[in-house]
Amino acid sequence: MTYDYTKRTNYTADVAKMKAAHKILKEQSYKPSLPEKGYNNRTLRIDLTTLTITEEPVDDKMKEIFIGGRGFGLWRLWNSVKPTSTWRSPENTIVISPGPVAGNTQYPGSGKSLVVTLSPLTDIPIDSNVGGYYGPLLKFSGFDAIEITGKAKTDVVVVVDGQKGTITIEEAPLEEVNSHVAAEQFIHEYANDEADMRNVSTVTVGRGGDNCRIGCLNFSWFDVRRKAARLKQAGRGGIGTVFRDKKVKALVVHGPPIKGDMNQPVNHDKVAKAGMRLHREIYENDDKQCHMRRQGTAHLVEIMDAYDLLPVHNFQYGKHPDTPKIASWVWDHRFTQGIPDGCWYGCSMACSKGADGHIVMTGPYKGHVVTVDGPEYETAAGVGANCGIFDPNWVLECNFYCDTYGIDTISFGTSCSFVMECYQRGILNAERTGGFELTWGNGAAQMELMHQMARGEGFGKIAGQGVMRMKRIFAAKGWGDAQFLDDIGMENKGLEYSQYVSKESLAQQGGYALTNKGPQHDEAWLIFMDMVNKQIPTFEAKAEALHYFPLWRTWFGLNGLCKLPWNDVEPPDNQRVNDPMEAAKVPEHIQNYVDIFTGITGRQASREDLITMSQKVYNFQRVFNIRMGKGLRKYDKAPYRSKGPVTVEEYESRAERYDKQIQEVLKVDPRGKSTADKVALLRQYREDQYEKLTDAVYQRRGWTKDGVPTLETLKKLGIDFPEIVEVVKPLLG
Ligand code: SF4
């Protein structure tokens, strides 16, 4: 479908007046530069309390051990906070770093930024991976990372102008806070003209970040065909809440026009050749494999339903008869086709689809005509199926408001489905929710919950605290049994689960909860290898997968890369690789990554070396968690809903499967037993399996039984710095 973009609601009529109202609080000149071999060798630190702007060096140790992206973020955060710091402490720092490979335009998926801070949900470091132009434009303006620390007195905008060579902290009182408006207004204000708009990118949040713990960041890029600001989210862990707590309205970067060699790589040809190989594969195979260019990740909806993995009614079930109403063919029709929707230059996978012409149905923008960025699979599954909502209009509405309010769709979906189940079971009722009828499928109630959340009012204010805190609140009020709430509340470490049912995959249960930041599928997605293809049957094989894949995916975050082009398209002959574990790694693509890393940085590395790079950062992050009072085995426990059926109805919905397991694996005859007895039997078995998996994974990772990296592990990795050893030593006996 084609679309007339002039129909979109315009928010930029008064931008000249808005810009004139800015008050410069601090201005500093600097010398813009381009990176050499992927690095600028300096970071930018903005202290909002003292209004100081400083450049700080990136030394060889930082590059050698922490690489960039998530590694840089963790290291800078470690140096900024104390063990007693909380997410609200002024010294908590938001670090945005794109990584040495980021900004490359030859290889698809090379425009990511990593954001790190102390999370309001988990109280430990969170890292979140995001597209959009901010990170690469920052890099090409001269900085490997930006750190925002301290707290401003009034709402401010931090502007890095890489064309003029200035950095300013400004009051900007008139622009909106909500992202779909703010991004457009700031881009229009700071671009020289329309052609220059693609060189301006913003980071914004929205009112949700002011009033709930699940705030996300929106990174923009200017879509020249739609003439509109598009948004990608650093969604997980409440980073947007920290951003607004610091009173940041926006970060703006105005970078130089983009060219193909701005990383100044050591071997441009090597990088370009790897890119050409992958572009060809995408063009030849995407239509036969994942349809990312037409449907984005929304193509997964019906696949997950077919394998009983789509979360329905707060992860109680894995499929629903109404799934076709929100399946890929619906989104294929709703997304505007024929537009290359890449969230960075050169990404031919172009999966950042947009639904144009959505007429907003509720809230402050009712009646406006907007472009919705998405939905991606996680959004359709989370705010849709998991809440029993199978109307694509409500899914789009919820997606739009999550983004513009700066609320993470995954945490919102899992929180909303949790309160809906509480409503189903009488833990909540209309009196307790202030009049909400939070029944399954009630899209209007879901939206009212969201508007309340963004305003910080009523029951929405409670729901905006996230699942872990809601469980405590409901139990403390005597509304529900604490154990039952723990069983059905899908969070670990305080972070809400992303949208896959993991009950039948022990490896994925570990892939979610045996993580540093909490249950997010960007560390490990092992369900098909484990449950469907049965390629990792033993504890040792699962532990090996839970060693390798989280480290491999960590490496993307060190370098500013998108995971999707790694295995959402595969060379057609990949399945001829004999060893299934090796096939899952997609060896030809791993070689591409070796080529682009070595080609840009000049640092020699084998494919094994890439894993070792991640291992250093991953273990460092584990020690960081311990330093903040967490990071031990008890924090890796998973809610039972992620491991098996909590209730009699859940068991009976898949009775054949569970009875078979009791008969064949537990060697107990299920006949004549009550369902409640069978639920208990299965639970005992599955809890025990999870503990055994935890032992095996810790051993493979070189950790103690309590999950502490041993001195040998730290030494082997070369990260046995005194301040790290000091954290773990008391726990090693
Ligand atoms: S694959 Fe999609 S999300 Fe990843 S970089 Fe490309 S357009 Fe962005």
Side-chain angles (χ1 to χ4, degrees):
M1 129 187 179
T2 53
Y3 182 72
D4 176 3
Y5 296 110
T6 60
K7 289 185 187 162
R8 287 176 57 251
T9 303
N10 177 27
Y11 302 105
T12 58
D14 293 327
V15 290
K17 199 164 95 194
M18 289 173 185
K19 183 86 182 290
H22 285 205
K23 181 175 161 203
I24 308 267
L25 302 176
K26 175 85 182 185
E27 178 162 14
Q28 195 158 301
S29 300
Y30 81 103
K31 196 160 176 267
S33 63
L34 286 180
E36 276 182 40
K37 303 182 207 171
Y39 290 101
N40 286 287
N41 299 320
R42 60 178 168 171
T43 66
L44 175 62
R45 189 165 193 273
I46 308 288
D47 187 327
L48 295 172
T49 305
T50 57
L51 298 178
T52 47
I53 299 169
T54 44
E55 292 178 24
E56 303 206 350
V58 169
D59 60 21
D60 287 345
K61 171 180 153 185
M62 197 165 150
K63 288 193 282 187
E64 164 72 25
I65 294 180
F66 296 99
I67 309 296
R70 174 172 158 188
F72 275 16
L74 287 165
W75 179 235
R76 297 301 307 189
L77 184 65
W78 171 282
N79 287 298
S80 190
V81 299
K82 304 183 281 278
T84 50
S85 301
T86 71
W87 69 275
R88 275 212 136 110
S89 303
E91 68 270 20
N92 187 20
T93 300
I94 300 171
V95 188
I96 301 171
S97 175
V101 174
N104 156 46
T105 58
Q106 267 76 45
Y107 197 82
S110 299
K112 294 283 182 164
S113 303
L114 272 291
V115 194
V116 174
T117 195
L118 287 184
S119 160
L121 289 167
T122 65
D123 305 308
I124 53 177
I126 184 77
D127 56 273
S128 202
N129 174 319
V130 58
Y133 289 5
Y134 185 86
L137 288 175
L138 178 79
K139 189 173 170 182
F140 298 139
S141 296
F143 298 104
D144 295 328
I146 183 169
E147 305 169 39
I148 307 292
T149 195
K151 290 193 194 197
K153 291 197 181 73
T154 51
D155 272 3
V156 294
V157 182
V158 177
V159 185
V160 176
D161 196 320
Q163 291 194 11
K164 291 190 191 137
T166 56
I167 299 157
T168 51
I169 305 173
E170 307 176 13
E171 279 180 359
L174 299 182
E175 292 83 352
E176 273 211 33
V177 170
N178 290 330
S179 282
H180 81 291
V181 182
E184 296 249 344
Q185 291 174 338
F186 285 117
I187 288 174
H188 278 76
E189 285 177 21
Y190 288 94
N192 303 329
D193 51 35
E194 192 177 316
D196 189 43
M197 286 185 190
R198 61 172 75 189
N199 303 319
V200 178
S201 175
T202 56
V203 181
T204 53
V205 180
R207 285 296 171 205
D210 290 330
N211 294 310
C212 68
R213 285 178 190 259
I214 58 175
C216 71
L217 300 181
N218 286 295
F219 281 51
S220 75
W221 85 94
F222 190 75
D223 182 332
V224 291
R225 291 164 187 85
R226 289 180 169 92
K227 299 192 192 311
R230 306 284 310 280
L231 302 174
K232 291 293 269 187
Q233 290 72 38
R236 304 310 324 269
I239 304 174
T241 306
V242 181
F243 192 89
R244 290 297 298 145
D245 185 59
K246 293 185 177 301
K247 291 200 180 295
V248 184
K249 193 180 233 183
L251 305 179
V252 179
V253 64
H254 182 201
I258 298 302
K259 292 192 235 127
D261 56 355
M262 291 173 83
N263 267 315
Q264 303 201 69
V266 167
N267 188 337
H268 185 269
D269 278 1
K270 195 174 176 186
V271 179
K273 273 185 191 145
M276 278 187 294
R277 286 196 293 275
L278 188 61
H279 286 309
R280 193 161 46 239
E281 269 175 41
I282 290 171
Y283 287 125
E284 288 173 1
N285 301 311
D286 179 58
D287 287 345
K288 296 175 216 149
Q289 295 182 9
C290 291
H291 310 280
M292 298 286 280
R293 288 183 303 166
R294 289 191 64 88
Q295 298 159 0
T297 55
H299 76 273
L300 289 169
V301 173
E302 64 270 21
I303 299 172
M304 294 305 129
D305 185 88
Y307 285 99
D308 210 21
L309 297 168
L310 181 74
V312 171
H313 295 180
N314 193 31
F315 300 86
Q316 292 183 71
Y317 313 111
K319 58 166 66 238
H320 194 280
D322 287 337
T323 296
K325 294 180 185 166
I326 57 164
S328 66
W329 45 87
V330 176
W331 303 119
D332 192 292
H333 182 67
R334 295 298 279 262
F335 293 147
T336 303
Q337 301 295 347
I339 293 184
D341 285 313
C343 73
W344 175 242
Y345 293 86
C347 189
S348 47
M349 193 153 237
C351 76
S352 299
K353 305 308 295 177
D356 291 300
H358 176 68
I359 301 171
V360 182
M361 300 184 286
T362 66
Y365 303 107
K366 188 172 177 181
H368 289 209
V369 182
V370 297
T371 294
V372 183
D373 293 287
E376 297 184 24
Y377 164 76
E378 296 289 336
T379 306
V383 308
N386 215 5
C387 298
I389 294 168
F390 293 92
D391 179 335
N393 290 315
W394 283 121
V395 171
L396 282 173
E397 180 83 358
C398 192
N399 191 154
F400 165 72
Y401 268 113
C402 272
D403 289 353
T404 198
Y405 282 155
I407 291 176
D408 173 27
T409 58
I410 295 177
S411 280
F412 179 80
T414 302
S415 298
C416 187
S417 65
F418 171 70
V419 297
M420 284 180 164
E421 183 171 357
C422 289
Y423 198 90
Q424 174 199 337
R425 299 188 185 285
I427 296 166
L428 293 175
N429 52 41
E431 194 187 325
R432 290 172 182 171
T433 62
F436 279 136
E437 305 233 339
L438 285 160
T439 49
W440 299 119
N442 191 341
Q446 180 186 69
M447 288 315 304
E448 190 44 36
L449 181 72
M450 172 168 302
H451 296 310
Q452 278 199 0
M453 204 182 266
R455 295 194 302 264
E457 291 172 0
F459 185 72
K461 191 169 182 182
I462 296 173
Q465 298 303 303
V467 171
M468 182 176 80
R469 287 169 179 83
M470 275 196 282
K471 289 193 299 194
R472 291 177 188 159
I473 293 167
F474 298 169
K477 286 180 182 288
W479 293 350
D481 174 67
Q483 179 64 55
F484 182 72
L485 287 163
D486 267 341
D487 287 346
I488 67 166
M490 289 292 282
E491 58 82 22
N492 157 265
K493 302 178 180 70
L495 187 68
E496 287 74 25
Y497 271 67
S498 68
Q499 309 299 339
Y500 298 95
V501 172
S502 56
K503 286 176 198 161
E504 305 312 313
S505 168
L506 179 59
Q508 186 56 34
Q509 292 161 29
Y512 268 139
L514 303 179
T515 48
N516 279 325
K517 69 179 162 195
Q520 165 70 353
H521 55 281
D522 71 350
E523 268 216 15
W525 198 87
L526 302 171
I527 298 182
F528 272 21
M529 275 183 87
D530 188 32
M531 180 193 109
V532 179
N533 300 329
K534 307 211 181 310
Q535 292 161 332
I536 43 175
T538 63
F539 288 113
E540 289 68 30
K542 291 182 207 306
E544 185 57 35
L546 283 167
H547 164 73
Y548 179 85
F549 288 101
L551 294 179
W552 176 238
R553 287 169 177 248
T554 294
W555 192 80
F556 294 129
L558 303 183
N559 284 284
L561 288 160
C562 176
K563 167 263 163 196
L564 298 173
W566 160 52
N567 70 349
D568 276 57
V569 64
E570 286 183 359
D573 59 357
N574 190 57
Q575 292 312 319
R576 279 195 231 130
V577 177
N578 281 335
D579 174 1
M581 177 82 104
E582 188 61 11
K585 294 175 184 175
V586 196
E588 194 178 314
H589 287 184
I590 292 179
Q591 187 55 46
N592 286 346
Y593 289 109
V594 170
D595 287 353
I596 61 172
F597 179 79
T598 56
I600 288 173
T601 65
R603 179 170 162 181
Q604 289 315 301
S606 65
R607 51 181 280 187
E608 289 74 28
D609 293 334
L610 306 190
I611 296 298
T612 308
M613 290 174 199
S614 295
Q615 221 173 344
K616 291 175 198 276
V617 175
Y618 198 86
N619 279 273
F620 174 74
Q621 190 168 354
R622 183 74 176 184
V623 176
F624 201 160
N625 287 352
I626 296 169
R627 182 187 184 220
M628 301 310 293
K630 303 223 166 154
L632 303 176
R633 187 174 185 127
K634 64 181 171 188
Y635 299 103
D636 288 343
K637 300 269 178 230
Y640 188 62
R641 174 66 56 75
S642 74
K643 296 185 255 186
V646 174
T647 64
V648 164
E649 306 98 278
E650 257 172 287
Y651 187 102
E652 288 176 348
S653 75
R654 304 285 181 270
E656 201 182 325
R657 173 193 298 161
Y658 299 136
D659 280 356
K660 191 163 177 252
Q661 191 172 89
I662 286 177
Q663 177 104 48
E664 292 178 2
V665 183
L666 279 68
K667 309 287 184 212
V668 174
D669 187 350
R671 285 173 299 181
K673 292 201 177 302
S674 71
T675 306
D677 284 347
K678 291 191 284 187
V679 168
L681 256 179
L682 194 65
R683 179 168 187 154
Q684 197 180 17
Y685 170 72
R686 290 190 174 198
E687 297 276 28
D688 179 59
Q689 292 285 293
Y690 183 78
E691 293 305 316
K692 289 189 172 122
L693 176 76
T694 305
D695 287 338
V697 170
Y698 284 179
Q699 190 178 16
R700 179 64 188 89
R701 291 180 180 174
W703 297 354
T704 68
K705 273 195 172 289
D706 202 19
V708 181
T710 64
L711 285 180
E712 294 72 43
T713 301
L714 299 176
K715 204 168 198 152
K716 198 172 90 194
L717 294 170
I719 55 167
D720 54 334
F721 318 140
E723 66 261 47
I724 291 182
V725 172
E726 192 188 317
V727 173
V728 298
K729 216 162 186 180
L731 299 163
L732 295 175

